[in-house]
């Protein structure tokens, strides 16, 4: 169904290395791509000639030159002149089912953003600003309308929506009246998703094949230094909402810093980078690249079933006893983030080192190095199985002793956390 026509133009564009490097590459060469074939396929996709709505997105979202050419031709069939951004999004999403991994959906929305600004020059500072705002209103739609009936979830307020988008119009603020209008439009009329009677295939964990270990930089301290992100393997990325609950060493986050904030989240090796938008790594300031970075070695991501104010939320507990909540756009993204984070943690976290020894009756937590393991995948799997069994024995013995001292409580808390990580490592790697 359209496969032969798609293949006829794919000779001119092969998959590029990194999703981030080519996400915004719009200037394809006419000599390298069969433009007439791209135009024909785009027209057929728009009119659903031989295609279903659930087929369209996969032809627009591939990371190669021909797919980008098809997407460029496809969006030309839309006229967004004088339309508000939410109205344009509604018209765009009514034609096909937007599906796939976060990176794939964002590639499609990038082309939408370019077309919207082309039809409405001067409406926003740049195409990137349109893309950021488009992703923000889709997250807003999930926040306002994704919960169960009865008002059990606390919805995002208009003020919070505006605050989350501060300085994201290419360094400027979006017009306040525009954001208010978008907020109330989404609240009054939820976005509708195109369906053709078939459920789109479930997304799989992205980027979990192959080894992710990178060699440490000579002279670096793997316990303190954040690894070179330019050489790291990228596993997943996308817009999320984040809330800080517990700071490092188990200290409760001060009330003034517990609010929800929108970030563009990128998982590279054992570090979760949080930026204001998808261009954080393009800036040259190292301090900006490391701002809000979260190490995930020996971390554990779980669905936050006990958190009822918002839905599609997962909890991330880190090796330094910090705790965060992340809200995703839907249940598939929630599962994808949890599975990807846990796979990377299980596959590449270096084995713990023995804790300090002293005469005080105080539990000393083992050291959890943030460097990559030197074990092969098979050896890492065997180490997890052995460690999980050993930790479960220690936990059972501790609870059998009925020791309620602070020493025992601290050890119990540590063992429960480590059993959760080690016990699930087997199926995460498999």
């Amino acid at each position: 169904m359209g496969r032969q026509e798609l293949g006829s133009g794919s000779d001119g564009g092969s998959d590029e290395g990194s999703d981030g490097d080519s996400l915004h590459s719009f200037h394809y060469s006419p000599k390298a791509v069969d433009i007439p074939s791209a135009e024909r396929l785009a027209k057929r996709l728009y009119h659903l000639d031989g295609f279903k709505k659930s087929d369209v997105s996969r032809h627009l979202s591939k990371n190669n030159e021909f797919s980008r050419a098809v997407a460029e031709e496809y969006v030309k069939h839309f006229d967004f002149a004088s339309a508000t951004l939410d109205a344009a999004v509604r018209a765009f999403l009514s034609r096909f089912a937007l599906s796939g991994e976060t990176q794939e959906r964002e590639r499609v929305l990038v082309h939408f953003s370019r077309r919207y600004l082309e039809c409405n020059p001067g409406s926003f500072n740049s195409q990137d600003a349109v893309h950021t705002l488009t992703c923000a209103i889709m997250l807003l739609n999930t926040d306002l309308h994704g919960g169960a009936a009865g008002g059990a979830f606390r919805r995002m307020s208009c003020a919070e929506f505006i605050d989350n988008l501060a300085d994201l119009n290419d360094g400027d603020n979006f017009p306040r009246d525009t954001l208010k209008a978008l907020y109330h439009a989404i609240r009054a009329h939820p976005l509708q998703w195109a369906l053709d009677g078939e459920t789109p295939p479930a997304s799989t964990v992205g980027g979990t094949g192959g080894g992710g270990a990178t060699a440490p930089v000579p002279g670096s301290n793997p316990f303190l230094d954040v690894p070179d992100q330019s050489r790291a393997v990228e596993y997943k990325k996308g817009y999320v909402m984040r809330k800080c609950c517990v700071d490092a060493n188990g200290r409760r986050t001060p009330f003034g810093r517990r609010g929800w904030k929108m970030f563009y989240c990128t998982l590279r090796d054992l570090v979760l980078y949080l930026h204001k938008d998808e261009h954080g790594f393009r800036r040259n300031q190292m301090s900006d690249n490391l701002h809000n970075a979260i190490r995930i070695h020996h971390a554990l991501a779980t669905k936050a079933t006990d958190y009822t104010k918002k839905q599609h939320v997962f909890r991330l507990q880190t090796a330094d006893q910090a705790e965060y909540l992340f809200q995703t756009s839907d249940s598939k993204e929630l599962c994808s983030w949890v599975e990807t984070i846990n796979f990377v943690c299980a596959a590449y976290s270096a084995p713990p080192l023995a804790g300090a020894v002293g005469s005080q009756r105080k539990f000393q937590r083992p050291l959890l190095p943030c460097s990559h393991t030197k074990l092969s995948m098979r050896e890492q799997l065997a180490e997890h199985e052995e460690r999980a069994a050993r930790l479960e024995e220690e936990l059972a013995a501790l609870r059998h002793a009925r020791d309620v001292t602070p020493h025992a409580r601290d050890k119990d808390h540590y063992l429960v956390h480590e059993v959760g990580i080690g016990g699930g490592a087997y199926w995460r790697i498999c």
Side-chain angles (χ1 to χ4, degrees), residues 65-257:
E65 292 294 331
F66 184 73
S67 182
R68 282 192 285 274
V70 172
E72 290 287 292
E73 297 300 327
Y74 181 82
V75 297
K76 291 179 181 178
H77 291 275
F78 294 87
D79 183 6
F80 299 132
S82 302
T84 60
L85 185 59
D86 70 292
V89 171
R90 295 177 201 278
F92 190 60
L93 297 180
S94 69
R95 300 293 307 185
F96 67 100
L98 184 61
S99 60
E101 278 286 343
T102 303
Q103 301 97 307
E104 295 168 336
R105 287 184 281 178
E106 285 189 359
R107 289 189 198 115
V108 178
L109 292 179
V110 162
H111 292 285
F112 161 82
S113 303
R114 181 201 59 77
R115 178 60 176 169
Y116 181 84
L117 194 62
E118 186 179 83
C119 294
N120 299 276
S123 56
F124 296 100
N125 285 2
S126 70
Q127 172 189 312
D128 293 332
V130 178
H131 181 229
T132 298
L133 189 52
T134 300
C135 293
I137 66 176
M138 294 182 76
L139 280 172
L140 173 67
N141 183 77
T142 298
D143 189 273
L144 295 180
H145 304 292
F153 297 98
R154 180 186 176 277
R155 310 303 183 186
M156 186 187 302
S157 68
C158 184
E160 290 171 330
F161 177 64
I162 294 173
D163 185 58
N164 287 338
L165 290 164
D167 303 325
L168 294 185
N169 189 12
D170 266 14
D172 297 330
N173 290 330
F174 290 101
R176 193 175 184 86
D177 291 342
T178 299
L179 296 184
K180 284 184 177 180
L182 287 172
Y183 177 89
H184 292 293
I186 298 298
R187 187 176 69 174
H189 303 289
L191 297 177
Q192 300 296 321
W193 311 101
L195 298 173
D196 56 14
E198 294 185 358
T199 304
S203 60
T204 57
V205 178
T208 56
T214 56
V217 179
S220 65
N221 187 332
F223 291 90
L224 300 177
D225 300 336
V226 174
D228 181 7
Q229 53 82 19
S230 65
R231 301 192 303 167
V233 176
E234 187 171 282
Y235 293 94
K236 189 167 177 62
K237 58 186 176 182
Y239 279 98
V240 297
M241 300 287 290
R242 187 214 65 185
K243 178 179 181 180
C244 299
C245 301
V246 180
D247 291 340
N249 299 318
R251 294 188 298 268
R252 183 76 173 172
T253 302
F255 182 78
R257 295 197 291 108

Side-chain angles (χ1 to χ4, degrees), residues 274-275 279-281 283-292:
L274 300 172
H275 296 294
H279 305 300
F281 289 113
R283 303 178 183 126
N284 294 324
Q285 295 90 1
M286 193 62 180
S287 60
D288 182 78
N289 285 345
L290 302 183
H291 184 58
N292 288 318

